[in-house]
Amino acid sequence: MAFPFAHHLQGSSLSKNITVGANREEVLRVAIMGLGSYGTRVAEAMQDSTRSKLVGVISGTPSKIKDWQGKYGIPEKNCYNYENFDQIKDNPDIDAVYIITPNSLHKDQAIRVANAGKHVICEKPMALNEKEGREMVQACKKNNVKLLVGYRMRLEPNTLEIVRMREEDELGKIMFFQGLSGFRIGDPNQWRLDKDLAGGGAMMDIGIYSVNGARYMVGEDPIWVTAQETKTDPEKFKEGVDETIQFQFGFPSGAVASCLSTYNMSHLDRFFLNGQKGFAELQPATGYGPIKGRTHKGPLEKPHVTHQTVQMDEMSDMILKGKEPKLPLDGVEGTKDLIIIDAIYKAVASGRKEKIDVTF
Ligand code: NAD
């Protein structure tokens, strides 16, 4: 099979020769909301996208807007702030808004974008809990716009190769998944350590990769969870901000998972899947790449791609052409992770095995 993302190979001269398609219907015109560190990464990656184009910005900082206008040729009429961005409804030159702000802002911002009739792309975690997630899904449905989540790993070639092997029974019946997700967080004053803005701690930010990964690696949604929290630095990780949580899932098939989420270990980024015929591992599993992995058959050798470039190309096809990705990354998927995270926090508090029901 031809490699579908060949034009995104890093360092390939191919990507530089491809110009944006003449048919504007095929190019998704995107405004980024939140010009912070990940927003900057997405904007850079979008320069190599052939099917998405950065055309607008929404920011509370006028100097950043000026910088981005200069750098990306963004016209004044496509610049908004957090007070006036509802007016985007009158702008026919923007198709979608990509929300890349702190977690607790996502829900209201997404609903405002949907009410303005624009498609919503939202960073993970999509919101703070199941209730918020469902409200976002409803608002997008009501306004007949798409809601997609920045789950870039669901489009990553080595990850998809493991999914293919599992589906074609090369690993046999799946019995076990291990997901380890963490990094050592720095500045104690950042929003990620503020419960009101982050909605929690490591679980909301990085543990979610193991939650989401458990689902696409095992190929099922969990039906129960047990979880244990440990905190070694209560000064830095205040009430409601989790430092480390270990959690275990059970799946309908009988497979189980054992995962860890932390803000206090470095280079922790590993997935391991075991079946009755073999194994697959990824380490690093969710970083910006290169993603490295091997199976009982040998190393995984899909070439490195820029995740955000692939994501913006693929999301363009999902929004403009109704393309269904191999692994879905829509608002329902985002809400399922929130249902599971709600259950993890519940299990931490109760000390008991909690049921999970992600039925929508
Ligand atoms: P950041 O702090 O670098 O940027 C956040 C931006 O939001 C800043 O420009 C800030 O000015 C703006 N902002 C607007 N209102 C704000 C408010 N009330 N308080 C604080 N900032 C406000 O953060 P980031 O790393 O870019 O993360 C943004 C989002 O992207 C988060 O939801 C995060 O989980 C997600 N993210 C995803 C990935 C990924 O790989 N998919 C990677 C990093 C971050």
Side-chain angles (χ1 to χ4, degrees), residues 42-143:
V42 170
E44 282 301 307
M46 227 190 295
Q47 301 312 296
D48 290 329
S49 168
T50 56
R51 286 169 268 161
S52 283
K53 184 170 164 48
L54 174 63
V55 298
V57 288
I58 298 134
S59 167
T61 315
S63 60
K64 275 198 221 166
I65 295 183
K66 274 254 138 355
D67 286 354
W68 281 51
Q69 280 191 272
K71 196 159 182 201
Y72 301 113
I74 296 167
E76 193 67 32
K77 69 173 187 59
N78 289 357
C79 298
Y80 297 86
N81 59 43
Y82 292 108
E83 284 72 48
N84 70 13
F85 76 80
D86 308 271
Q87 292 168 15
I88 217 162
K89 72 174 188 306
D90 301 318
N91 190 331
D93 298 329
I94 294 174
D95 303 310
V97 174
Y98 193 161
I99 299 170
I100 318 185
T101 55
N103 310 342
S104 71
L105 308 178
H106 294 176
K107 192 254 299 176
D108 286 347
Q109 290 170 340
I111 292 174
R112 284 172 66 187
V113 169
N115 286 341
K118 303 299 178 182
H119 299 289
V120 181
I121 303 171
C122 185
E123 256 320 313
K124 44 57 61 178
M126 191 178 96
L128 300 189
N129 51 46
E130 172 182 2
K131 183 171 173 292
E132 289 194 358
R134 286 186 186 271
E135 280 179 51
M136 290 164 72
V137 170
Q138 273 308 321
C140 290
K141 206 169 163 186
K142 190 183 83 193
N143 287 289

Side-chain angles (χ1 to χ4, degrees), residues 11-256:
S12 153
S13 59
L14 252 178
S15 66
K16 297 185 182 66
N17 296 333
I18 295 171
T19 47
V20 169
N23 180 358
R24 85 129 203 93
E25 292 297 325
E26 288 177 6
V27 176
L28 184 74
R29 298 160 310 167
V30 180
I32 290 186
M33 180 185 296
L35 314 183
S37 87
Y38 196 62
T40 301
R41 183 178 288 272
V42 170
E44 282 301 307
M46 227 190 295
Q47 301 312 296
D48 290 329
S49 168
T50 56
R51 286 169 268 161
S52 283
K53 184 170 164 48
L54 174 63
V55 298
V57 288
I58 298 134
S59 167
T61 315
S63 60
K64 275 198 221 166
I65 295 183
K66 274 254 138 355
D67 286 354
W68 281 51
Q69 280 191 272
K71 196 159 182 201
Y72 301 113
I74 296 167
E76 193 67 32
K77 69 173 187 59
N78 289 357
C79 298
Y80 297 86
N81 59 43
Y82 292 108
E83 284 72 48
N84 70 13
F85 76 80
D86 308 271
Q87 292 168 15
I88 217 162
K89 72 174 188 306
D90 301 318
N91 190 331
D93 298 329
I94 294 174
D95 303 310
V97 174
Y98 193 161
I99 299 170
I100 318 185
T101 55
N103 310 342
S104 71
L105 308 178
H106 294 176
K107 192 254 299 176
D108 286 347
Q109 290 170 340
I111 292 174
R112 284 172 66 187
V113 169
N115 286 341
K118 303 299 178 182
H119 299 289
V120 181
I121 303 171
C122 185
E123 256 320 313
K124 44 57 61 178
M126 191 178 96
L128 300 189
N129 51 46
E130 172 182 2
K131 183 171 173 292
E132 289 194 358
R134 286 186 186 271
E135 280 179 51
M136 290 164 72
V137 170
Q138 273 308 321
C140 290
K141 206 169 163 186
K142 190 183 83 193
N143 287 289
N144 203 22
V145 295
K146 291 251 190 209
L147 171 57
L148 300 175
V149 186
Y151 286 142
R152 58 190 163 74
M153 300 319 297
R154 288 184 167 241
L155 301 164
E156 194 279 320
N158 290 292
T159 306
L160 291 175
E161 172 61 7
I162 294 177
V163 171
R164 183 200 65 74
M165 289 179 72
R166 167 174 55 70
E167 287 183 347
E168 293 179 9
D169 201 34
E170 292 178 31
L171 302 172
K173 180 177 160 52
I174 298 300
M175 303 301 291
F176 177 70
F177 171 76
Q178 182 191 45
L180 307 176
S181 301
F183 65 96
R184 269 202 97 193
I185 197 157
D187 177 10
N189 298 316
Q190 61 186 292
W191 69 259
R192 281 183 168 79
L193 294 172
D194 176 343
K195 163 127 173 93
D196 291 341
L197 283 167
M203 180 59 66
M204 298 302 286
D205 191 45
I206 192 78
I208 191 170
Y209 283 96
S210 275
V211 171
N212 195 262
R215 296 173 54 232
Y216 61 70
M217 295 288 278
V218 175
E220 295 179 81
D221 292 329
I223 51 173
W224 59 256
V225 62
T226 48
Q228 308 80 35
E229 179 176 6
T230 45
K231 199 173 275 200
T232 64
D233 187 349
E235 186 54 40
K236 187 168 183 179
F237 305 103
K238 303 230 158 32
E239 180 71 30
V241 179
D242 47 284
E243 175 187 325
T244 300
I245 294 179
Q246 295 185 70
F247 53 101
Q248 302 81 34
F249 290 141
F251 296 87
S253 65
V256 290

Side-chain angles (χ1 to χ4, degrees), residues 289-313:
I291 299 302
K292 296 265 180 226
R294 63 188 182 115
T295 73
H296 60 290
K297 294 184 169 175
L300 290 169
E301 280 165 345
K302 298 288 183 197
H304 174 58
V305 294
T306 302
H307 300 171
Q308 295 79 8
T309 308
V310 171
Q311 180 194 313
M312 294 316 297
D313 271 347

